[in-house]
Amino acid sequence: MKPLFLSVFFLSIAFLGCQDQQQSTDLNGNGTIEVYEDTSRSLSNRAADILPRLSLEQKVHLLVGRGMNMPGSESPEIKEKVPGAAGSTYPLDSLGIPSLTLADGPAGLRIQPHRKGDSTNTYYATAFPIASMTASSWDTSLVKRVGKAMGNEVKEYGVDILLAPAQNIHRNPLGGRNFEYYSEDPLLAGEMSAAMVNGVESTGVGTSIKHFAANNQETNRMLINTIAGERALREIYLRGFKRSVQQAQPWTVMSAYNQINGTPASQNTDLLTTILREDWGFNGLVMTDWFAGQDPVAQMRAGNDLLMPGTPDQYSKILEAVKSGGLDESVIDRNVQRVLETILKSPTLQGYDYRDNPDLEAHAEVARQAAADGMVLLENRQNTLPVSDQSGTIAAFGNTSYDFISGGTGSGDVNEAYTVSLVKGLENAGYTLDASLQEKYEQYLKEEKADRPEPESFFDQPEPIPELELSKSEIEVQVANSDIAFITIGRNSGEFADRKIEDDFYLTDTEQQLIEDVSSAYHNTGKKVVVILNIGNVIETASWRDKVDGVLLAWQGGQEAGNAVADVISGRVNPSGKLPTTFTVEYEDVPSSKNFPGKELSDKEVTGPGGIPLGTPSEVVYEEGIYVGYRYFNTFDVQPAYAFGYGLSYTSFSYDDLSLSNNEFQDEITASVTVTNTGDVAGKEVVQLYLTAPEGSLDKPALELKGFSKTKKLQPGESQALELVLKPSDLASYDPDKSAWVADAGTYQVKIGASSADIKQTAEFNVAEPLTVEQTSNALTPNREITPLFK
Ligand code: BGC
């Protein structure tokens, strides 16, 4: 076989300036073009032409990655093309099959900014806002733009596949990686993920939607057995993945660490073959999460094509199994075929001439817009915001005002060149900050940081710096110096650990005291107080929100976060974000609070390859079933602090003239509604369509999100008509007894809302006969009875 590398080398000479294009070339010069070289052939034909040319050993090598350099402990054995990338596939140099490079992650490309022996260049990537924040924009075109910018960095830094987007469900606010995920709702998560995949892949690199599936906690994440009913799995935990697979066909899917109903996701044929490929039509590659699963042979059989980052032990076990007849070679061939198809479309194989020089300035602008559009205004009494008068002085309280958190930790982190803090953003926008307060905080933070040891490894997550304690008299001094107070409350979390209830979901005593003291001091002199939430996921707000005048959920807004907050504070951007996740009053109100993070089944800690701690065998039972997030709050009349879909604007909107294209459901129904800006400033509104199904054989949530649309920027008085389409699948619930998506006959209510708790217009249509919308396989059945918590 002729080396593919060589062919590409010649091609790139022949086509300088248009490196993206491929063309079949007779590299032998013998007058014939091999099938695998012929780019007019399908990827599948080309890969199938390579397969018989490979030895068994070569095939198995392609199925197991090349291993991994742990951040901070690089081994000279594993030569990295892109330092800081998470892994790479095995090259077969003699055949010209290159190694693909894979790198995280959801908020931007994670690679090392500095390289050994290279003191002149830097390799920073843009930190975009976290996924929960981009989802808060409810704007798929914006997310696609973010994806496109991210994909460009992936390609320009020589990476082939971005290990993103992540789209697990926000089952519980303590989930340590929720910031990497979009929403508690699978429709919103699926739409966001599809937009991100389309954006990234439009640049010619691949994505890996992850972590498939039901990976909703970090505690014992590699050993946890998630026990869930088929209905909850299909309707909540798989549904968003189905949407992004069917709308965007990502190059790859990453299987999760956890077990589902007793079988690790990466060894789960039901999940990876029956559902993903047969039910949904996925035709790409499945890779494991890093070091996931225990049995490489079972992984191969399940349809987990590529084991990442790959260990010598996995290679030997697969090879041995084929040689001894324990694993059919046809299984290997099927998986190798998928690996080859992925390699064939990669920029590396195509010889893309990357320059390590993406347009970081242009991407910073995209990051800033995405952050500004993802901010959610939670409170704004007496129009405290925007602060249009820039002549006054702002006092910024709270450590994180000065040390803004751009994103979470672990593999979801990005090595960005800078993070614009709140105070820097305000200064850039022309505001004056209270200098004496700034000095006090900066001095404190400097001293605290000097006392802290540098984290020893990637796995070490430093404890947050305790909030600076200020006495009442110290605060009084600032009141005299300033005209308004901002208090930033910051939270961070990430891979390897879930959050805590005390001093994390709930505020610390010092934070509560700060809010109390600052508010009473400023209010005594008629001055206002705004809280900025620089957080990755839900915290408690109900106990303190009435003490302040404004609350802005600024999330973790990436490297431009401070500038984006200033855009909203100044009114340059009118906030239009809405919550992708419910904010509860108490932690106990969360429907999964009784079952999170499950129970340990042994007291033995298990370790994996290289002594990596895997945790303790444990299980979690999803007894809340489909009642996750607003599906629970709305059905059982539990008052949240802020409802799913909620968010304020500097203007107001009216909703009128809801009409349906038909009163009887045939193949689809279109709902039309007119939204008018009834306030004084221009703004955008997120319009949500919820559906209430009639009573039927299955219990139903009070309402479910079935569509959404965001208006353009409407000028005061301007209207826009929006259309939202309902398909049969939007009407259906999953009936495990029938292994089918079914819709009952009866009256359905279409509810157009500004949030799940603020329905503006309602209309009805009828379904004459029950519909079986989709027959599925019978898969992922739990092997025990799950007692539902709610019904
Ligand atoms: C994470 C994945 C990530 C991978 C590679 C794993 O620990 O769970 O999300 O893509 O590491 O860094």
Side-chain angles (χ1 to χ4, degrees):
M1 177 178 163
K2 284 169 302 196
L4 288 175
F5 254 155
L6 204 62
S7 63
V8 166
F9 174 65
F10 283 118
L11 272 176
S12 51
I13 290 182
F15 296 99
L16 267 184
C18 54
Q19 293 95 334
D20 275 351
Q21 293 174 24
Q22 290 184 83
Q23 186 163 318
S24 309
T25 311
D26 170 19
L27 294 163
N28 267 339
N30 64 0
T32 52
I33 288 174
E34 303 283 346
V35 170
Y36 72 88
E37 294 170 317
D38 182 355
T39 53
S40 70
R41 304 272 194 149
S42 67
L43 287 175
S44 142
N45 282 347
R46 294 173 65 200
D49 185 54
I50 300 174
L51 202 56
R53 305 173 195 238
L54 303 178
S55 68
L56 175 62
E57 284 74 10
Q58 287 174 322
K59 288 181 196 172
V60 178
H61 270 313
L62 284 178
L63 300 171
V64 181
R66 283 202 306 166
M68 176 188 192
N69 278 322
M70 288 296 173
S73 60
E74 282 74 16
S75 134
E77 311 262 292
I78 303 172
K79 299 229 173 342
E80 285 180 320
K81 173 181 161 198
V82 182
S88 54
T89 63
Y90 198 92
L92 296 177
D93 292 338
S94 60
L95 300 170
I97 297 176
S99 165
L100 297 195
T101 302
L102 284 50
D104 289 304
L109 179 67
R110 186 171 67 87
I111 57 172
Q112 272 172 28
H114 302 287
R115 294 186 182 169
K116 278 197 192 112
D118 179 354
S119 54
T120 40
N121 299 304
T122 54
Y123 303 83
Y124 288 110
T126 305
F128 293 91
I130 58 169
S132 307
M133 183 170 206
T134 51
S136 301
S137 74
W138 296 62
D139 184 344
T140 48
S141 58
L142 177 76
V143 172
K144 195 168 169 195
R145 240 185 310 138
V146 169
K148 203 170 167 194
M150 247 184 227
N152 175 269
E153 293 186 16
V154 172
K155 194 168 182 185
E156 291 306 327
Y157 279 127
V159 173
D160 297 285
I161 296 177
L162 181 71
L163 302 171
Q167 59 173 105
N168 295 103
I169 291 293
H170 294 164
R171 173 176 179 251
N172 185 290
L174 304 184
R177 297 183 81 174
N178 282 3
F179 75 96
E180 294 185 58
Y181 307 146
Y182 294 110
S183 174
E184 69 186 19
D185 180 82
L187 170 72
L188 184 57
E191 286 290 314
M192 292 296 142
S193 165
M196 182 59 84
V197 169
N198 283 330
V200 174
E201 293 196 353
S202 69
T203 65
V205 299
T207 55
S208 193
I209 60 171
K210 66 188 189 184
H211 310 89
F212 189 58
N215 184 175
N216 306 301
Q217 64 183 67
E218 288 302 284
T219 310
N220 293 320
R221 67 175 183 172
M222 296 182 95
L223 298 174
I224 186 85
N225 182 14
T226 298
I227 298 168
E230 293 135 287
R231 184 172 178 202
L233 288 170
R234 294 267 187 177
E235 287 191 19
I236 307 292
Y237 298 101
L238 300 178
R239 204 176 199 169
F241 284 99
K242 179 182 183 189
R243 216 175 178 90
S244 47
V245 162
Q246 295 187 335
Q247 282 184 18
Q249 275 291 352
W251 285 21
T252 80
V253 169
M254 185 190 291
S255 56
Y257 285 125
N258 49 288
Q259 299 171 35
I260 302 180
N261 293 332
T263 309
S266 63
Q267 298 171 200
N268 203 314
T269 307
D270 270 9
L271 183 72
L272 303 184
T273 295
T274 315
I275 293 180
L276 180 64
R277 295 183 189 278
E278 293 167 11
D279 283 357
W280 300 351
F282 176 65
N283 55 29
L285 169 136
V286 175
M287 71 176 81
T288 57
D289 198 346
W290 267 228
F291 301 106
Q294 288 102 40
D295 182 346
V297 175
Q299 289 173 314
M300 287 298 116
R301 282 204 195 95
N304 200 122
D305 313 302
L306 176 63
L307 308 186
M308 289 304 295
T311 65
D313 183 54
Q314 289 170 326
Y315 169 79
S316 313
K317 283 193 171 134
I318 297 170
L319 190 63
E320 188 45 42
V322 179
K323 283 186 172 163
S324 66
L327 178 63
D328 203 294
E329 195 167 343
S330 64
V331 171
I332 297 301
D333 287 350
R334 175 195 69 181
N335 297 358
V336 170
Q337 167 85 16
R338 294 175 188 147
V339 174
L340 287 170
E341 285 178 18
T342 310
I343 294 176
L344 282 171
K345 56 186 173 186
S346 67
T348 297
L349 183 127
Q350 292 172 26
Y352 181 70
D353 182 18
Y354 63 96
R355 298 293 168 93
D356 287 326
N357 191 21
D359 189 347
L360 295 178
E361 256 177 54
H363 298 169
E365 190 47 41
V366 177
R368 178 173 176 166
Q369 281 170 19
D373 274 15
M375 265 175 234
V376 187
L377 184 60
L378 297 176
E379 299 288 348
N380 196 20
R381 298 193 181 90
Q382 296 159 342
N383 297 330
T384 299
L385 296 177
V387 181
S388 355
D389 176 8
Q390 298 206 329
S391 62
T393 298
I394 297 176
F397 294 88
N399 295 346
T400 40
S401 290
Y402 302 87
D403 219 356
F404 229 36
I405 301 164
S406 59
T409 60
S411 62
D413 197 3
V414 180
N415 295 313
E416 67 275 22
Y418 60 85
T419 298
V420 179
S421 68
L422 174 75
V423 289
K424 188 75 193 137
L426 291 171
E427 270 167 23
N428 291 346
Y431 291 97
T432 305
L433 274 301
D434 176 338
S436 65
L437 186 61
Q438 177 157 3
E439 206 185 306
K440 193 174 267 181
Y441 271 101
E442 285 178 348
Q443 185 60 28
Y444 169 73
L445 291 171
K446 198 166 149 203
E447 283 163 14
E448 284 289 317
K449 283 181 187 167
D451 283 352
R452 301 177 148 237
E454 280 291 305
E456 274 180 21
S457 84
F458 180 62
F459 301 102
D460 270 1
Q461 297 308 335
E463 285 290 308
I465 295 175
E467 192 57 61
L468 171 63
E469 294 191 30
L470 294 170
S471 66
K472 287 195 173 69
S473 54
E474 283 175 296
I475 292 170
E476 290 298 338
V477 176
Q478 310 307 330
V479 180
N481 286 348
S482 57
D483 302 285
I484 187 168
F486 285 6
I487 306 172
T488 305
I489 301 292
R491 289 287 181 277
N492 211 353
S493 71
E495 220 181 331
F496 315 118
D498 289 312
R499 296 171 56 209
K500 296 184 301 235
I501 299 177
E502 297 306 326
D503 298 343
D504 191 345
F505 175 81
Y506 289 104
L507 266 52
T508 64
D509 291 345
T510 315
E511 288 167 334
Q512 285 280 11
Q513 198 63 50
L514 184 68
I515 292 176
E516 173 74 40
D517 292 347
V518 169
S519 301
S520 64
Y522 277 76
H523 288 165
N524 280 344
T525 54
K527 295 176 183 172
K528 299 212 168 130
V529 179
V530 175
V531 168
I532 310 283
L533 297 178
N534 180 205
I535 60 180
N537 201 241
V538 176
I539 63 166
E540 185 275 328
T541 54
S543 67
W544 53 266
R545 62 182 170 185
D546 293 339
K547 295 178 183 165
V548 298
D549 306 285
V551 181
L552 179 65
L553 172 55
W555 292 113
Q556 294 166 343
Q559 67 185 42
E560 286 287 325
N563 285 335
V565 176
D567 288 340
V568 169
I569 298 294
S570 66
R572 190 173 98 92
V573 172
N574 184 353
S576 61
K578 303 235 183 172
L579 292 178
T581 282
T582 309
F583 272 54
T584 64
V585 174
E586 302 288 350
Y587 174 68
E588 284 69 31
D589 294 343
V590 175
S592 60
S593 59
K594 290 168 200 69
N595 288 302
F596 186 93
K599 65 169 191 242
E600 300 197 335
L601 302 172
S602 136
D603 50 13
K604 267 211 200 94
E605 282 267 335
V606 180
T607 51
I612 298 177
L614 300 182
T616 308
S618 50
E619 68 176 30
V620 58
V621 188
Y622 286 14
E623 289 176 313
E624 72 282 3
I626 58 165
Y627 295 106
V628 176
Y630 71 90
R631 284 172 170 75
Y632 167 75
F633 290 94
N634 283 61
T635 309
F636 299 99
D637 288 329
V638 180
Q639 197 57 39
Y642 298 109
F644 175 80
Y646 167 85
L648 299 172
S649 165
Y650 296 152
T651 186
S652 52
F653 299 94
S654 72
Y655 289 62
D656 300 288
D657 303 333
L658 171 61
S659 69
L660 302 183
S661 56
N662 206 329
N663 293 334
E664 280 293 325
F665 190 85
Q666 302 294 336
D667 296 331
E668 62 176 46
I669 275 189
T670 303
S672 314
V673 65
T674 301
V675 177
T676 306
N677 181 348
T678 52
D680 299 330
V681 291
K684 297 186 264 192
E685 172 72 332
V686 174
V687 176
Q688 302 153 45
L689 186 156
Y690 295 90
L691 196 65
T692 299
E695 285 212 5
S697 46
L698 299 168
D699 54 306
K700 302 275 167 66
L703 45 72
E704 290 185 280
L705 183 74
K706 297 297 175 184
F708 60 88
S709 184
K710 194 164 186 171
T711 66
K712 62 181 182 187
K713 192 171 177 186
L714 295 173
Q715 296 303 319
E718 195 182 1
S719 299
Q720 186 179 356
L722 299 172
E723 292 196 339
L724 297 133
V725 177
L726 286 170
K727 298 252 164 58
S729 55
D730 297 318
L731 276 50
S733 304
Y734 189 76
D735 186 343
D737 291 339
K738 298 184 178 140
S739 297
W741 289 91
V742 292
D744 288 306
T747 304
Y748 287 73
Q749 291 179 305
V750 174
K751 296 175 173 171
I752 301 290
S755 84
S756 59
D758 184 10
I759 302 303
K760 303 284 193 189
Q761 298 248 291
T762 304
E764 291 181 356
F765 64 85
N766 186 55
V767 171
E769 297 290 334
L771 305 170
T772 298
V773 173
E774 187 190 340
Q775 194 66 49
T776 72
S777 53
N778 178 7
L780 292 180
T781 312
N783 51 13
R784 75 165 90 152
E785 199 57 29
I786 299 171
T787 320
L789 269 182
F790 320 104
K791 212 172 165 48

